[in-house]
């Protein structure tokens, strides 16, 4: 019925057009409703033109038109999308002009790119952002990036990645927001809102049509973070309960925030590859969740169905992916090679193609591409200063103080600081992976920032000691030892190179390299107090390190302007407030390890490891401050149809602090076993020195005390619950709550 009304609308608009003797077809009329424009344009398209809209090509990394001429000519006019990294406005417009002017209907391309944690500059990697617990700051960063992208002629970002991950061996743990579904959900919503604007969730795409926002693409749907043994592109053993309870919630949150696209994943979901899984891509995404946006495959994921042993030919893969619900084929050339044949053979109905094309056209209309296909020469909106300030704030809030024996930090009375280690003067490592258009040579190093921070107060010496692989360099460890011996304190910067984490970067020993360890142990023997500053994209195994440093500060990969905040924490100008959004295991043998585990069948002591502690080295929610923050007076009371929980935090220190409060529940008995702790809310507040601040949480039982079953049905059961408030669950305050 709705469809026929729509067609009537199309006919009416066209009739009015004819009557008015105006030859503008409805799809070119910006005043016509998007759905009318979609149907009008679709009705005019040939099958070949439809298929081209479902294809994404790449303009590649090298955008020098002399080297790309041949590649450019291979992209047929009327194509749907390209991956374009920016940097050449003329090239971008020339490609678009060819698409518009050489194709019969003049359908614009959409240009997409991976802006994962910045574009012209980078800011803290997503795993680090999660440790800030500051979703509004993430939204602000994404909003600034969106403007930078649109100023570059890129309308679509393949971000945020919201794959829950509990395995530090998996390199892509850096790209998501840690081990918890709720944290990934909160940051999914924040990123989408930042990229697209809050209005998009209400169907208002004006910000995107005005060239201020970009289409978000939540990825990788779904379960990629469960990659077996931390390897990449592999099998993932996922139950239906796991899908609904752990891996899918962040995507639902991103869609509720209005995400305009989803990327299908590489992984094999218990036997059905994610890019051919009609249960997730259609039954859940379309039928249950009502998603009307675009699903784009991951790079080559359609062709990889053959390598996964799911399809025998690329033609079969094209049919499997399209019919499962993948609208755009990224880089496999499966759709442009076989879809027309598949339709003529009757293996794929043209109506399936029509539905996919509708979603692609809808995306383009919502982005305003028909009205503004070209990058206008309007001046760029310089987001540099805004980005710099936000990047520094994120680096400050996301760094996690893991150890601080004898309050070594902040440095107060020292005169001679030795900055040592392979990551002390390495801006590349701080820039992180997926750096888009950022120039790593512009990234301030920790050494430079420490020199700036202590300028005029302390003498700052530097020795690298070894390279990031651990190979001693000139002078090597002995030079470092000499510097340490004549200094008051050592700031030792160790960790991972930028590309030691990210895609295709699995490590079976997520630890510091031997050579870096040798450097640490040698410096320890000098007896000079030592603060270890960690740089990297994953929780490293630190068991053989933790006793050799008086203080340990995890900074992740804080981006172009992050080092200044690291130095600010070292000096005490910034009071650290980060809390871990991912667990640090004691050993590889503990992996996967995460806070939200089920209660074991036997009481404490039974079933634990016999060869060492079963507890993590640093638990989820852990993080130290320079202030003594005391929690008291947790109370929960009825409030309307729900409850109100509150807790007081008193800052006993002399430094103003920011505190992150984590709120968990435990559903003691339920129709499906529940994790012993489930994070349901978090809040970051200022706690000035000497003052008491109350943190509160309005508990909505339907949202916060219910659980989902393996069919995706949500249940709220009466009974006993426990409410927790604090950092790590095991040390949080708790209070019982009974739901009648
Ligand atoms: C890569 C990644 C995906 C990215 C895409 C386009 O293989 O898996 O996250 O968005 O290709 O670069």
């Amino acid at each position: 019925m709705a469809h026929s009304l729509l067609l009537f609308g199309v006919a009416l608009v066209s009739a009015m057009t004819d009557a008015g003797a105006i030859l503008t077809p409805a799809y070119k009329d910006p005043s016509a409703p998007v759905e009318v424009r979609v149907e009008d344009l679709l009705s005019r398209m040939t099958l070949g033109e439809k298929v081209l809209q479902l294809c994404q090509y790449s303009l590649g990394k090298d955008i020098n038109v002399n080297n790309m001429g041949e590649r450019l000519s291979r992209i047929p006019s009327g194509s749907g999308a390209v991956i374009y990294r920016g940097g050449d406005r003329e090239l971008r417009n020339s490609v678009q002009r060819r698409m518009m002017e050489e194709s019969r209907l003049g359908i614009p391309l959409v240009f997409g790119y991976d802006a994962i944690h910045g574009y012209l500059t980078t800011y803290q990697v997503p795993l680090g952002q999660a440790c800030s617990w500051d979703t509004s700051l993430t939204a602000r960063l994404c909003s600034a990036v969106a403007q930078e992208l649109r100023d570059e002629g890129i309308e679509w970002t393949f971000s945020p990645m919201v794959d829950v991950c509990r395995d530090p061996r998996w390199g892509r743990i850096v790209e998501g927001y840690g081990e918890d579904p709720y944290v990934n959900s909160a940051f999914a919503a924040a990123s989408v809102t930042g990229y697209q604007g809050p209005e998009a969730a209400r169907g208002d795409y004006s910000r995107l049509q005005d060239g201020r926002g970009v289409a978000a693409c939540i990825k990788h749907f779904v379960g990629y973070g469960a990659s077996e043994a931390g390897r990449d592109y592999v099998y993932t053993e996922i139950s239906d309960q796991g899908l609904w309870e752990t891996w899918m919630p962040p995507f639902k949150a991103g869609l509720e925030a209005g995400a305009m696209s989803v990327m299908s994943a590489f992984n094999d979901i218990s036997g059905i590859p994610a890019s051919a899984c009609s249960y997730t891509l259609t039954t859940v995404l379309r039928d249950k969740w009502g998603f009307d946006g675009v699903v784009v495959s991951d790079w080559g994921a359609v062709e990889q169905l053959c390598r996964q042993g799911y399809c025998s030919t690329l033609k079969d893969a094209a049919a499997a992916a399209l019919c499962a619900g993948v609208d755009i084929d990224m880089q496999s050339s499966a759709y442009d090679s076989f879809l027309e044949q598949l339709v003529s053979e009757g293996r794929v109905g043209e109506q399936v193609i029509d539905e996919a094309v509708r979603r692609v056209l809808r995306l383009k209309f919502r982005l305003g591409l028909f009205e503004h296909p070209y990058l206008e020469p309007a001046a760029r909106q310089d987001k540099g200063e805004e980005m710099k300030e936000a990047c520094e704030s994120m680096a400050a809030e996301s760094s996690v103080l893991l150890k601080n024996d004898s309050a070594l930090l902040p440095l107060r009375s020292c005169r001679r600081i030795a900055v040592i280690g392979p990551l002390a003067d390495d801006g590349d490592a701080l820039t992180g992976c997926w750096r888009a258009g950022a120039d790593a040579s512009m990234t301030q190093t920790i050494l430079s920032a420490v020199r700036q921070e202590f300028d005029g107060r302390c003498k700052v010496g530097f020795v690298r000691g070894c390279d990031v692989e651990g190979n001693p360099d000139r002078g090597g460890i002995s030079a470092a030892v000499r510097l340490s011996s004549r200094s008051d304190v050592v700031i030792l910067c160790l960790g991972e190179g930028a590309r030691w984490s990210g895609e295709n970067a699995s490590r079976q020993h997520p630890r510091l390299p031997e050579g870096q360890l040798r450097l640490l142990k040698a410096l320890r023997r000098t007896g000079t107090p030592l603060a270890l500053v960690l740089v990297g994209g994953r929780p490293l195994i630190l068991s053989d390190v933790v006793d050799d440093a008086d203080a340990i500060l995890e900074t992740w990969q804080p981006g172009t302007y992050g080092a200044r905040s690291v130095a600010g924490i070292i000096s005490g100008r910034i009071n650290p407030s980060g809390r871990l959004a991912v667990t640090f295991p004691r050993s590889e043998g503990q992996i996967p390890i995460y806070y939200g585990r089920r209660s074991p069948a036997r009481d404490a002591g039974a079933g634990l490891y016999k060869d060492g502690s079963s507890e993590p080295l640093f638990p989820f929610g852990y993080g130290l401050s320079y202030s003594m923050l005391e929690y008291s007076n947790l109370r929960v009371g009825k409030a309307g149809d729900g409850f109100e929980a509150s807790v007081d935090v008193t800052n006993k220190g002399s430094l103003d602090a920011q505190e992150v409060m984590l709120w968990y529940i435990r559903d003691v008995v339920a129709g499906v076993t529940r994790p012993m702790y489930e994070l349901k809310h978090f809040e970051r507040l200022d706690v000035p020195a000497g003052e008491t601040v109350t943190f509160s949480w309005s508990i909505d039982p339907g949202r916060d005390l219910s659980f989902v079953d393996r069919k995706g049905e949500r249940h709220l059961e009466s009974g006993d619950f426990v409410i927790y408030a604090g950092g790590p669950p095991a040390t949080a305050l708790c209070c019982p709550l009974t739901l009648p």
Side-chain angles (χ1 to χ4, degrees), residues 215-443:
C217 183
I218 45 179
K219 67 186 187 183
H220 306 78
F221 196 62
V222 65
Y224 189 18
S227 285
E228 198 170 52
R231 292 194 295 274
D232 209 347
Y233 314 120
V234 294
Y235 181 80
T236 52
E237 181 54 62
I238 299 180
S239 66
D240 285 348
Q241 182 67 29
L243 269 182
W244 284 103
E245 179 177 288
T246 303
W247 310 104
M248 292 201 300
F251 291 86
K252 188 160 192 287
L255 295 178
E256 285 167 354
M260 297 165 76
S261 67
V262 169
M263 183 179 290
S264 70
F266 292 129
N267 55 297
D268 170 344
I269 307 176
S270 298
I272 309 291
S275 294
C277 182
S278 60
Y279 175 67
T280 52
L281 292 170
T282 296
T283 307
V284 175
L285 207 51
R286 305 292 183 189
D287 302 346
K288 264 188 177 284
W289 291 350
F291 178 53
D292 71 353
V294 166
V295 172
V296 60
S297 79
D298 200 338
W299 186 296
V302 176
E303 176 268 328
Q304 288 164 20
L305 297 176
C306 301
R307 199 166 297 132
Q308 286 169 300
Y310 189 71
C311 296
S312 52
T313 65
L314 190 58
K315 183 176 180 181
D316 291 347
L322 182 82
C323 295
V326 173
D327 300 320
I328 293 181
D329 164 15
M330 183 194 286
Q331 286 299 112
S332 291
S333 284
Y335 284 15
D336 50 358
S337 304
F338 298 106
L339 282 191
E340 286 191 73
Q341 260 181 55
L342 288 162
V343 171
S344 61
E345 292 165 4
R347 286 181 57 190
V348 168
E350 186 163 352
Q351 76 285 0
V352 178
I353 291 181
D354 287 354
E355 200 41 50
V357 174
R358 271 193 189 90
R359 296 191 279 248
V360 173
L361 298 180
R362 186 177 295 135
L363 174 73
K364 294 181 176 182
F365 283 122
R366 287 174 173 171
L367 282 168
L369 283 173
F370 283 79
E371 283 64 53
H372 305 289
Y374 304 113
L375 198 54
E376 274 97 34
R380 290 171 195 272
Q381 310 216 7
D382 180 5
K383 290 288 179 180
E385 266 319 298
E386 178 184 345
M387 188 62 85
K388 183 171 183 296
E389 180 276 322
C391 179
E392 285 188 20
S393 300
M394 181 52 85
E397 295 181 9
S398 57
S399 296
V400 184
L401 187 59
L402 297 175
K403 182 181 180 183
N404 194 24
D405 285 1
S406 5
L408 172 65
L409 295 179
L411 300 184
R412 293 280 190 218
S413 55
C414 64
R415 303 291 306 148
R416 298 165 299 170
I417 300 174
V419 178
I420 297 174
L423 298 180
D425 195 26
D426 179 343
D428 188 78
L430 274 61
T431 308
C433 60
W434 292 109
R435 56 187 60 183
D439 173 358
S441 66
M442 302 297 289
T443 298

